[in-house]
Coordinates of all heavy atoms in Angstrom, one line a residue:
M1 N -5.0 28.7 0.3 CA -4.3 27.5 -0.2 C -3.1 27.8 -1.0 O -3.0 28.8 -1.7 CB -5.4 26.8 -1.2 CG -4.9 25.4 -1.6 SD -6.2 24.3 -2.2 CE -7.2 24.1 -0.7
T2 N -2.0 27.0 -0.9 CA -0.8 27.3 -1.5 C -0.8 27.0 -3.0 O -1.5 26.1 -3.5 CB 0.4 26.5 -0.9 OG1 0.0 25.1 -1.0 CG2 0.6 26.9 0.5
A3 N -0.1 27.9 -3.7 CA 0.0 27.7 -5.2 C 1.3 26.9 -5.5 O 2.3 27.0 -4.8 CB 0.0 29.1 -5.8
D4 N 1.3 26.2 -6.6 CA 2.5 25.5 -7.1 C 3.4 26.5 -7.8 O 3.0 27.7 -8.0 CB 2.1 24.3 -7.9 CG 1.5 24.7 -9.3 OD1 1.5 25.9 -9.6 OD2 0.9 23.8 -9.9
P5 N 4.6 26.1 -8.3 CA 5.5 27.1 -8.9 C 4.9 27.8 -10.1 O 5.3 28.8 -10.5 CB 6.7 26.2 -9.4 CG 6.6 25.0 -8.4 CD 5.2 24.8 -8.1
A6 N 3.9 27.2 -10.8 CA 3.2 27.8 -11.9 C 2.1 28.8 -11.4 O 1.5 29.4 -12.3 CB 2.6 26.7 -12.8
G7 N 2.0 28.9 -10.1 CA 1.0 29.9 -9.6 C -0.4 29.4 -9.6 O -1.4 30.2 -9.5
V8 N -0.6 28.1 -9.7 CA -1.9 27.5 -9.8 C -2.2 26.8 -8.4 O -1.4 25.9 -8.0 CB -2.1 26.5 -10.9 CG1 -3.5 25.9 -11.0 CG2 -1.8 27.2 -12.3
S9 N -3.2 27.1 -7.8 CA -3.5 26.4 -6.5 C -4.0 25.0 -6.7 O -4.5 24.6 -7.8 CB -4.6 27.2 -5.7 OG -5.8 27.1 -6.3
F10 N -4.0 24.2 -5.6 CA -4.5 22.9 -5.7 C -6.0 22.9 -6.1 O -6.4 22.1 -6.9 CB -4.3 22.2 -4.3 CG -4.9 20.8 -4.3 CD1 -4.2 19.7 -4.8 CD2 -6.1 20.6 -3.6 CE1 -4.8 18.4 -4.8 CE2 -6.7 19.3 -3.5 CZ -6.0 18.2 -4.1
G11 N -6.7 23.8 -5.5 CA -8.2 23.9 -5.8 C -8.4 24.2 -7.2 O -9.3 23.7 -7.9
E12 N -7.6 25.1 -7.8 CA -7.8 25.5 -9.2 C -7.5 24.3 -10.1 O -8.1 24.1 -11.1 CB -6.8 26.7 -9.5 CG -7.3 28.0 -8.9 CD -6.3 29.1 -9.0 OE1 -5.1 28.8 -9.1 OE2 -6.7 30.3 -9.0
R13 N -6.4 23.5 -9.8 CA -6.1 22.3 -10.6 C -7.2 21.3 -10.5 O -7.6 20.7 -11.5 CB -4.8 21.7 -10.1 CG -3.6 22.4 -10.5 CD -2.4 21.5 -10.7 NE -1.2 22.2 -10.9 CZ -0.8 22.7 -12.1 NH1 -1.6 22.5 -13.2 NH2 0.3 23.3 -12.3
M14 N -7.7 21.1 -9.3 CA -8.8 20.1 -9.1 C -10.0 20.5 -9.9 O -10.8 19.7 -10.4 CB -9.1 19.9 -7.7 CG -8.1 19.2 -6.9 SD -7.7 17.5 -7.5 CE -9.1 16.6 -6.9
A15 N -10.2 21.9 -10.0 CA -11.4 22.4 -10.7 C -11.4 22.1 -12.2 O -12.4 22.3 -12.9 CB -11.6 23.9 -10.4
T16 N -10.2 21.8 -12.7 CA -10.0 21.5 -14.2 C -10.4 20.0 -14.5 O -10.3 19.6 -15.6 CB -8.6 21.8 -14.7 OG1 -7.7 20.9 -14.1 CG2 -8.2 23.2 -14.4
V17 N -10.7 19.3 -13.5 CA -10.9 17.9 -13.7 C -12.4 17.5 -13.3 O -12.9 18.0 -12.3 CB -10.0 17.0 -12.8 CG1 -10.2 15.5 -13.1 CG2 -8.6 17.4 -13.0
E18 N -13.0 16.8 -14.2 CA -14.4 16.4 -13.9 C -14.4 14.9 -13.6 O -13.7 14.1 -14.2 CB -15.2 16.7 -15.2 CG -16.7 16.3 -15.1 CD -17.4 16.5 -16.4 OE1 -17.0 17.4 -17.2 OE2 -18.3 15.7 -16.7
F19 N -15.3 14.5 -12.7 CA -15.4 13.1 -12.3 C -16.8 12.7 -12.4 O -17.8 13.4 -12.0 CB -15.0 12.9 -10.8 CG -13.6 13.4 -10.5 CD1 -13.3 14.7 -10.1 CD2 -12.5 12.5 -10.6 CE1 -12.1 15.2 -9.8 CE2 -11.2 13.0 -10.3 CZ -11.0 14.3 -9.9
R20 N -17.0 11.5 -13.0 CA -18.3 10.8 -13.0 C -18.3 9.8 -11.9 O -17.6 8.7 -12.1 CB -18.6 10.2 -14.3 CG -18.8 11.3 -15.4 CD -19.4 10.7 -16.7 NE -19.3 11.7 -17.7 CZ -18.6 11.6 -18.8 NH1 -18.0 10.5 -19.1 NH2 -18.5 12.6 -19.7
V21 N -18.9 10.0 -10.8 CA -18.7 9.2 -9.6 C -19.6 8.0 -9.7 O -20.8 8.1 -9.8 CB -19.0 10.0 -8.4 CG1 -18.9 9.1 -7.1 CG2 -18.1 11.2 -8.3
A22 N -19.0 6.8 -9.6 CA -19.7 5.5 -9.6 C -20.3 5.3 -8.2 O -19.8 5.8 -7.2 CB -18.8 4.4 -10.0
G23 N -21.3 4.5 -8.2 CA -22.0 4.2 -6.9 C -21.1 3.4 -6.0 O -21.3 3.4 -4.7
N24 N -20.3 2.6 -6.6 CA -19.4 1.7 -5.7 C -18.0 2.1 -5.9 O -17.5 2.5 -7.0 CB -19.6 0.2 -6.1 CG -19.4 0.0 -7.6 OD1 -19.8 0.8 -8.4 ND2 -18.7 -1.1 -7.9
A25 N -17.2 2.0 -4.8 CA -15.8 2.5 -4.8 C -14.9 1.5 -5.6 O -15.0 0.3 -5.4 CB -15.3 2.5 -3.3
H26 N -14.1 2.1 -6.4 CA -13.1 1.2 -7.2 C -11.8 1.0 -6.4 O -11.0 0.1 -6.7 CB -12.8 1.9 -8.5 CG -12.1 3.2 -8.4 ND1 -12.7 4.3 -7.9 CD2 -10.8 3.6 -8.7 CE1 -11.9 5.4 -7.9 NE2 -10.7 4.9 -8.4
I27 N -11.7 1.7 -5.3 CA -10.5 1.5 -4.4 C -11.1 1.4 -3.0 O -12.0 2.2 -2.6 CB -9.5 2.7 -4.4 CG1 -8.9 2.8 -5.8 CG2 -8.4 2.5 -3.3 CD1 -8.1 4.1 -5.9
T28 N -10.7 0.3 -2.3 CA -11.1 0.2 -0.9 C -9.9 0.1 0.0 O -8.8 -0.4 -0.4 CB -12.0 -1.0 -0.6 OG1 -11.4 -2.2 -1.1 CG2 -13.4 -0.8 -1.3
V29 N -10.0 0.6 1.2 CA -8.9 0.6 2.2 C -9.3 -0.2 3.4 O -10.3 0.1 4.0 CB -8.5 2.0 2.5 CG1 -7.3 2.1 3.5 CG2 -8.1 2.8 1.3
D30 N -8.5 -1.1 3.8 CA -8.8 -2.0 4.9 C -8.2 -1.3 6.2 O -7.0 -1.3 6.5 CB -8.1 -3.4 4.7 CG -8.5 -4.3 5.8 OD1 -8.8 -3.9 6.9 OD2 -8.6 -5.5 5.5
A31 N -9.1 -0.8 7.0 CA -8.7 0.0 8.2 C -7.9 -0.9 9.2 O -7.1 -0.4 9.9 CB -9.9 0.6 8.9
D32 N -8.3 -2.2 9.2 CA -7.6 -3.1 10.2 C -6.1 -3.2 9.8 O -5.2 -3.3 10.7 CB -8.2 -4.4 10.2 CG -9.6 -4.4 10.8 OD1 -9.9 -3.5 11.6 OD2 -10.4 -5.3 10.5
V33 N -5.8 -3.3 8.5 CA -4.4 -3.4 8.0 C -3.7 -2.0 8.3 O -2.6 -2.0 8.8 CB -4.3 -3.8 6.6 CG1 -2.9 -3.9 6.1 CG2 -5.0 -5.1 6.3
C34 N -4.4 -1.0 8.0 CA -3.8 0.4 8.2 C -3.4 0.7 9.6 O -2.6 1.5 9.9 CB -4.7 1.4 7.6 SG -4.9 1.3 5.8
A35 N -4.1 0.1 10.5 CA -4.0 0.4 11.9 C -2.5 0.2 12.4 O -2.0 0.9 13.3 CB -4.9 -0.4 12.8
S36 N -1.8 -0.7 11.8 CA -0.4 -1.0 12.2 C 0.6 -0.3 11.3 O 1.8 -0.5 11.5 CB -0.2 -2.5 12.2 OG -0.3 -3.0 10.9
C37 N 0.1 0.6 10.4 CA 1.0 1.3 9.5 C 1.5 2.5 10.2 O 0.8 3.4 10.6 CB 0.3 1.6 8.2 SG 1.3 2.6 7.1
T38 N 2.8 2.7 10.3 CA 3.4 3.9 10.9 C 3.9 4.9 9.9 O 4.2 6.0 10.3 CB 4.6 3.5 11.8 OG1 5.6 2.8 11.0 CG2 4.1 2.6 13.0
T39 N 4.0 4.5 8.6 CA 4.6 5.4 7.6 C 3.6 6.3 6.8 O 4.0 7.4 6.4 CB 5.5 4.6 6.7 OG1 4.7 3.5 6.2 CG2 6.7 4.1 7.4
R40 N 2.4 5.7 6.6 CA 1.4 6.5 5.9 C 1.7 7.1 4.6 O 1.5 8.3 4.4 CB 0.8 7.6 6.9 CG 0.4 7.0 8.3 CD -0.9 6.1 8.1 NE -1.2 5.2 9.1 CZ -2.1 5.4 10.1 NH1 -2.7 6.5 10.2 NH2 -2.3 4.5 11.0
E41 N 2.4 6.4 3.8 CA 2.8 6.9 2.5 C 1.6 7.4 1.6 O 1.8 8.4 0.9 CB 3.5 5.8 1.6 CG 4.9 5.4 2.2 CD 4.8 4.3 3.2 OE1 3.8 4.0 3.7 OE2 5.9 3.8 3.5
C42 N 0.5 6.8 1.8 CA -0.7 7.2 1.0 C -1.1 8.6 1.2 O -1.5 9.3 0.3 CB -1.9 6.2 1.2 SG -2.3 6.2 3.0
V43 N -0.9 9.1 2.4 CA -1.3 10.4 2.8 C -0.5 11.5 2.0 O -1.0 12.5 1.5 CB -1.2 10.7 4.3 CG1 -1.5 12.1 4.7 CG2 -2.2 9.7 5.0
T44 N 0.8 11.2 1.9 CA 1.7 12.2 1.3 C 1.7 12.0 -0.2 O 2.0 12.9 -1.0 CB 3.1 12.2 1.8 OG1 3.5 10.8 1.9 CG2 3.1 12.8 3.2
A45 N 1.5 10.8 -0.7 CA 1.7 10.5 -2.1 C 0.5 10.7 -3.0 O 0.6 11.0 -4.2 CB 2.1 9.0 -2.3
C46 N -0.7 10.7 -2.5 CA -1.9 10.8 -3.3 C -2.0 12.3 -3.8 O -2.1 13.2 -3.1 CB -3.2 10.5 -2.5 SG -4.7 10.8 -3.5
P47 N -1.9 12.5 -5.2 CA -2.0 13.8 -5.7 C -3.3 14.5 -5.5 O -3.4 15.7 -5.6 CB -1.7 13.6 -7.2 CG -2.1 12.2 -7.5 CD -1.8 11.4 -6.2
A48 N -4.3 13.8 -5.2 CA -5.7 14.4 -5.0 C -6.0 14.5 -3.5 O -7.1 14.9 -3.2 CB -6.7 13.5 -5.7
N49 N -5.0 14.2 -2.7 CA -5.3 14.4 -1.2 C -6.5 13.6 -0.7 O -7.3 14.1 0.1 CB -5.4 15.9 -0.8 CG -4.1 16.6 -0.8 OD1 -3.0 15.9 -0.9 ND2 -4.1 17.9 -0.7
L50 N -6.6 12.4 -1.1 CA -7.8 11.6 -0.8 C -7.7 10.8 0.5 O -8.6 10.2 1.0 CB -8.2 10.7 -1.9 CG -8.6 11.5 -3.2 CD1 -9.0 10.5 -4.3 CD2 -9.7 12.5 -3.0
F51 N -6.4 10.7 1.0 CA -6.2 9.9 2.3 C -5.9 11.0 3.4 O -5.2 11.9 3.2 CB -5.0 9.0 2.1 CG -5.2 7.9 1.2 CD1 -5.0 8.1 -0.2 CD2 -5.5 6.6 1.6 CE1 -5.1 7.0 -1.1 CE2 -5.6 5.6 0.7 CZ -5.4 5.8 -0.6
A52 N -6.5 10.7 4.5 CA -6.3 11.6 5.7 C -6.2 10.8 6.9 O -7.0 9.8 7.1 CB -7.4 12.6 5.8
E53 N -5.3 11.2 7.8 CA -5.2 10.5 9.1 C -6.3 11.1 10.0 O -6.5 12.3 10.1 CB -3.8 10.8 9.7 CG -2.7 10.0 9.0 CD -1.4 10.1 9.8 OE1 -0.8 11.2 9.6 OE2 -1.1 9.2 10.5
T54 N -6.9 10.2 10.8 CA -7.9 10.7 11.8 C -7.2 10.9 13.1 O -6.1 10.4 13.4 CB -9.1 9.7 11.9 OG1 -8.5 8.4 12.3 CG2 -9.8 9.5 10.6
A55 N -7.9 11.6 14.0 CA -7.4 11.9 15.3 C -7.0 10.6 16.1 O -6.1 10.6 16.9 CB -8.3 12.8 16.1
D56 N -7.8 9.6 15.9 CA -7.5 8.3 16.6 C -6.6 7.4 15.9 O -6.4 6.2 16.3 CB -8.9 7.6 16.9 CG -9.6 7.2 15.6 OD1 -9.0 7.4 14.5 OD2 -10.6 6.5 15.7
G57 N -5.9 7.9 14.9 CA -4.8 7.1 14.2 C -5.3 6.3 13.1 O -4.5 5.5 12.5
G58 N -6.5 6.4 12.7 CA -7.1 5.7 11.5 C -6.8 6.4 10.2 O -6.1 7.5 10.2
I59 N -7.3 5.8 9.2 CA -7.2 6.4 7.8 C -8.5 6.6 7.2 O -9.4 5.7 7.2 CB -6.3 5.5 6.9 CG1 -4.9 5.6 7.3 CG2 -6.5 5.9 5.4 CD1 -4.2 6.9 6.8
L60 N -8.8 7.8 6.7 CA -10.0 8.2 6.1 C -9.7 8.2 4.6 O -8.8 8.9 4.2 CB -10.5 9.5 6.6 CG -12.0 9.8 6.6 CD1 -12.8 8.8 7.4 CD2 -12.2 11.2 7.1
F61 N -10.6 7.6 3.8 CA -10.3 7.6 2.3 C -11.6 7.9 1.6 O -12.7 7.4 1.9 CB -9.8 6.2 1.9 CG -9.7 6.1 0.4 CD1 -8.8 6.9 -0.3 CD2 -10.5 5.3 -0.3 CE1 -8.7 6.8 -1.7 CE2 -10.5 5.2 -1.7 CZ -9.5 6.0 -2.4
N62 N -11.5 8.7 0.5 CA -12.7 9.0 -0.3 C -12.3 8.8 -1.8 O -11.4 9.4 -2.3 CB -13.1 10.5 0.0 CG -14.2 11.0 -1.0 OD1 -14.9 10.1 -1.6 ND2 -14.3 12.2 -1.1
Y63 N -13.0 7.9 -2.4 CA -12.6 7.5 -3.8 C -13.2 8.5 -4.9 O -12.8 8.4 -6.0 CB -13.2 6.1 -4.1 CG -14.7 6.1 -4.3 CD1 -15.2 6.1 -5.6 CD2 -15.5 6.0 -3.2 CE1 -16.6 6.1 -5.7 CE2 -16.9 5.9 -3.3 CZ -17.4 6.0 -4.6 OH -18.8 5.9 -4.8
E64 N -14.0 9.4 -4.5 CA -14.8 10.2 -5.5 C -14.0 11.1 -6.4 O -14.4 11.3 -7.5 CB -15.9 11.0 -4.8 CG -16.9 10.0 -4.1 CD -18.0 10.8 -3.4 OE1 -18.1 12.0 -3.5 OE2 -18.9 10.2 -2.8
Q65 N -12.9 11.6 -6.0 CA -12.1 12.5 -6.8 C -10.7 11.9 -7.2 O -9.7 12.5 -7.3 CB -11.9 13.9 -6.2 CG -13.2 14.6 -6.1 CD -13.0 16.0 -5.6 OE1 -12.4 16.2 -4.5 NE2 -13.5 17.0 -6.3
C66 N -10.8 10.6 -7.4 CA -9.5 9.8 -7.7 C -9.1 10.0 -9.1 O -9.9 9.9 -10.0 CB -9.8 8.3 -7.4 SG -8.5 7.2 -7.9
F67 N -7.8 10.2 -9.3 CA -7.2 10.4 -10.7 C -7.0 9.1 -11.4 O -6.5 9.0 -12.5 CB -5.9 11.2 -10.6 CG -6.1 12.6 -10.3 CD1 -5.2 13.2 -9.4 CD2 -7.1 13.4 -10.8 CE1 -5.3 14.5 -9.0 CE2 -7.2 14.7 -10.5 CZ -6.3 15.3 -9.6
E68 N -7.1 8.0 -10.6 CA -6.8 6.6 -11.1 C -5.3 6.5 -11.5 O -5.0 5.8 -12.5 CB -7.7 6.3 -12.3 CG -9.2 6.4 -12.0 CD -10.1 6.5 -13.2 OE1 -9.8 5.9 -14.2 OE2 -11.1 7.2 -13.1
C69 N -4.5 7.1 -10.8 CA -3.0 7.1 -11.1 C -2.4 5.8 -10.6 O -1.3 5.5 -11.1 CB -2.4 8.3 -10.6 SG -2.4 8.5 -8.8
G70 N -2.9 5.2 -9.6 CA -2.3 4.0 -9.0 C -1.2 4.3 -8.0 O -0.6 3.3 -7.5
T71 N -0.9 5.5 -7.7 CA 0.2 5.8 -6.8 C 0.0 5.2 -5.4 O 1.0 4.7 -4.8 CB 0.4 7.4 -6.7 OG1 0.5 7.9 -8.0 CG2 1.6 7.7 -5.8
C72 N -1.1 5.3 -4.9 CA -1.4 4.8 -3.5 C -1.1 3.3 -3.5 O -0.5 2.8 -2.5 CB -2.8 5.1 -3.1 SG -4.1 4.5 -4.2
Y73 N -1.5 2.6 -4.5 CA -1.3 1.2 -4.5 C 0.2 0.8 -4.6 O 0.7 -0.1 -4.0 CB -2.0 0.6 -5.7 CG -2.1 -0.9 -5.8 CD1 -2.8 -1.6 -4.8 CD2 -1.4 -1.6 -6.8 CE1 -2.8 -3.0 -4.8 CE2 -1.5 -3.0 -6.8 CZ -2.1 -3.7 -5.8 OH -2.2 -5.1 -5.9
M74 N 0.9 1.7 -5.4 CA 2.4 1.5 -5.6 C 3.2 1.8 -4.3 O 4.1 1.1 -4.0 CB 2.9 2.3 -6.7 CG 2.3 2.0 -8.1 SD 2.7 0.4 -8.6 CE 4.5 0.6 -9.0
V75 N 2.8 2.8 -3.6 CA 3.6 3.2 -2.4 C 3.3 2.5 -1.1 O 4.1 2.5 -0.2 CB 3.6 4.7 -2.2 CG1 4.1 5.5 -3.4 CG2 2.2 5.2 -1.8
C76 N 2.1 2.0 -1.0 CA 1.7 1.3 0.2 C 2.5 0.0 0.4 O 2.7 -0.8 -0.5 CB 0.2 0.9 0.1 SG -0.3 0.0 1.6
N77 N 3.0 -0.1 1.6 CA 3.9 -1.3 1.9 C 3.3 -2.3 2.7 O 3.9 -3.2 3.3 CB 5.2 -0.8 2.6 CG 4.9 -0.1 3.9 OD1 3.8 -0.1 4.4 ND2 5.9 0.6 4.4
K78 N 1.9 -2.3 2.8 CA 1.2 -3.3 3.6 C 0.3 -4.1 2.7 O -0.6 -3.6 2.1 CB 0.3 -2.6 4.7 CG 1.1 -1.9 5.8 CD 1.2 -2.8 7.0 CE 1.9 -2.1 8.1 NZ 2.4 -3.0 9.1
E79 N 0.6 -5.4 2.6 CA -0.1 -6.3 1.8 C -1.6 -6.3 2.2 O -1.9 -6.4 3.4 CB 0.4 -7.7 2.0 CG -0.3 -8.8 1.2 CD 0.5 -9.2 0.0 OE1 1.7 -9.2 0.0 OE2 -0.2 -9.7 -1.0
G80 N -2.5 -6.1 1.2 CA -3.9 -6.2 1.5 C -4.5 -4.9 2.0 O -5.8 -4.8 2.2
A81 N -3.7 -3.8 2.2 CA -4.3 -2.6 2.8 C -5.2 -1.9 1.7 O -6.3 -1.4 2.0 CB -3.2 -1.6 3.2
I82 N -4.8 -1.9 0.5 CA -5.5 -1.3 -0.6 C -5.9 -2.3 -1.7 O -5.1 -3.1 -2.2 CB -4.6 -0.2 -1.3 CG1 -4.4 0.9 -0.3 CG2 -5.3 0.4 -2.5 CD1 -3.5 2.0 -0.9
S83 N -7.2 -2.3 -2.0 CA -7.7 -3.1 -3.1 C -8.0 -2.1 -4.2 O -8.8 -1.2 -4.0 CB -9.0 -3.8 -2.7 OG -8.7 -4.7 -1.6
W84 N -7.4 -2.2 -5.3 CA -7.4 -1.2 -6.4 C -7.9 -1.8 -7.7 O -7.5 -2.9 -8.1 CB -5.9 -0.7 -6.6 CG -5.8 0.6 -7.2 CD1 -5.6 1.8 -6.6 CD2 -5.9 0.9 -8.6 NE1 -5.6 2.8 -7.5 CE2 -5.7 2.3 -8.8 CE3 -6.1 0.1 -9.8 CZ2 -5.7 2.9 -10.0 CZ3 -6.1 0.8 -11.0 CH2 -5.9 2.2 -11.1
S85 N -8.8 -1.1 -8.3 CA -9.2 -1.4 -9.7 C -9.7 -0.1 -10.4 O -9.8 0.9 -9.7 CB -10.3 -2.4 -9.7 OG -11.5 -1.9 -9.0
Y86 N -9.8 -0.2 -11.7 CA -10.4 1.0 -12.3 C -11.9 1.1 -12.1 O -12.5 0.0 -11.9 CB -10.1 0.9 -13.9 CG -8.7 1.2 -14.2 CD1 -7.9 0.2 -14.7 CD2 -8.2 2.5 -14.1 CE1 -6.5 0.5 -15.0 CE2 -6.9 2.8 -14.4 CZ -6.1 1.8 -14.9 OH -4.8 2.0 -15.2
P87 N -12.5 2.2 -12.2 CA -14.0 2.3 -12.0 C -14.7 1.6 -13.1 O -14.1 1.4 -14.2 CB -14.2 3.8 -12.1 CG -12.9 4.5 -11.9 CD -11.9 3.6 -12.4
Q88 N -15.9 1.2 -12.9 CA -16.7 0.6 -14.0 C -16.8 1.5 -15.2 O -16.7 2.7 -15.1 CB -18.0 0.2 -13.4 CG -18.9 1.3 -13.0 CD -20.1 0.9 -12.2 OE1 -20.0 0.8 -11.0 NE2 -21.3 0.8 -12.9
G89 N -17.0 0.9 -16.3 CA -17.1 1.6 -17.6 C -18.0 2.8 -17.5 O -19.1 2.8 -17.0
G90 N -17.5 4.0 -18.1 CA -18.4 5.2 -18.1 C -18.2 6.1 -16.9 O -18.8 7.2 -16.8
Y91 N -17.5 5.6 -15.9 CA -17.3 6.3 -14.6 C -15.8 6.6 -14.4 O -15.0 6.1 -15.0 CB -17.9 5.6 -13.4 CG -19.4 5.4 -13.5 CD1 -20.0 4.3 -14.0 CD2 -20.2 6.4 -13.0 CE1 -21.3 4.2 -14.1 CE2 -21.6 6.3 -13.0 CZ -22.1 5.2 -13.6 OH -23.5 5.1 -13.7
G92 N -15.6 7.6 -13.5 CA -14.3 7.9 -13.1 C -13.9 9.3 -13.6 O -14.7 10.2 -13.8
V93 N -12.6 9.4 -13.8 CA -12.0 10.8 -14.1 C -12.3 11.1 -15.6 O -12.2 10.3 -16.5 CB -10.5 10.8 -13.8 CG1 -9.7 9.9 -14.6 CG2 -10.0 12.3 -13.8
V94 N -12.6 12.4 -15.8 CA -12.8 12.9 -17.1 C -12.0 14.2 -17.2 O -12.4 15.2 -16.6 CB -14.3 13.2 -17.5 CG1 -14.5 13.8 -18.9 CG2 -15.2 12.0 -17.2
F95 N -10.9 14.2 -17.9 CA -10.1 15.4 -18.0 C -10.8 16.4 -18.9 O -11.4 16.0 -20.0 CB -8.7 15.1 -18.5 CG -7.9 14.4 -17.5 CD1 -7.7 13.1 -17.5 CD2 -7.3 15.1 -16.4 CE1 -7.0 12.4 -16.6 CE2 -6.6 14.5 -15.4 CZ -6.4 13.1 -15.5
R96 N -10.7 17.7 -18.6 CA -11.3 18.7 -19.5 C -10.3 19.8 -19.6 O -9.4 19.9 -18.7 CB -12.6 19.2 -19.0 CG -12.6 19.8 -17.6 CD -13.9 20.2 -17.1 NE -13.8 20.9 -15.9 CZ -14.7 21.2 -15.0 NH1 -15.9 20.7 -15.2 NH2 -14.5 21.9 -13.9
R97 N -10.4 20.7 -20.5 CA -9.4 21.8 -20.7 C -9.6 22.8 -19.6 O -10.8 23.1 -19.2 CB -9.6 22.4 -22.0 CG -9.2 21.5 -23.1 CD -9.2 22.1 -24.5 NE -9.0 21.1 -25.5 CZ -9.4 21.2 -26.7 NH1 -9.9 22.3 -27.2 NH2 -9.1 20.2 -27.6
G98 N -8.5 23.4 -19.1 CA -8.5 24.3 -18.0 C -9.1 25.6 -18.4 O -9.5 25.9 -19.5
Ligands
SF4_1 S1 -3.1 2.5 2.8 FE1 -1.0 1.6 3.0 S2 0.3 3.4 3.3 FE2 -1.8 4.1 3.7 S3 -2.1 3.9 5.9 FE3 -2.8 2.0 4.9 S4 -1.1 0.6 5.1 FE4 -0.3 2.7 5.4
SF4_2 S1 -5.2 6.2 -7.5 FE1 -4.0 8.1 -7.4 S2 -5.6 9.7 -7.1 FE2 -6.6 7.7 -6.7 S3 -6.5 7.5 -4.5 FE3 -4.7 6.4 -5.4 S4 -3.0 8.0 -5.3 FE4 -5.0 9.1 -5.0

């Protein structure tokens, strides 16, 4: 895995973050809307790499390691593709010291 300019790999950075995963997703992605998206901004913009293109042109999304930064919602140019909210109280990202 590649390291950033500070010499810290993506995996090492992710390992410094703890998540309390809620049973229900706080972000959902509408595959029908995404099917006509040719730009796929979410895939390159999500800092946690939670969006992935599938071989058949779909989008795979996993909410469990979400930083709650809102970037995907901001960069997506398709109305209704992403439904975004914060996780329910007590769940979500918990930063801890590296
Ligand atoms: S979430 Fe938005 S940017 Fe990502 S594939 Fe769907 S429509 Fe495109
Ligand atoms: S809120 Fe941020 S970390 Fe979570 S899925 Fe969107 S871009 Fe990725």
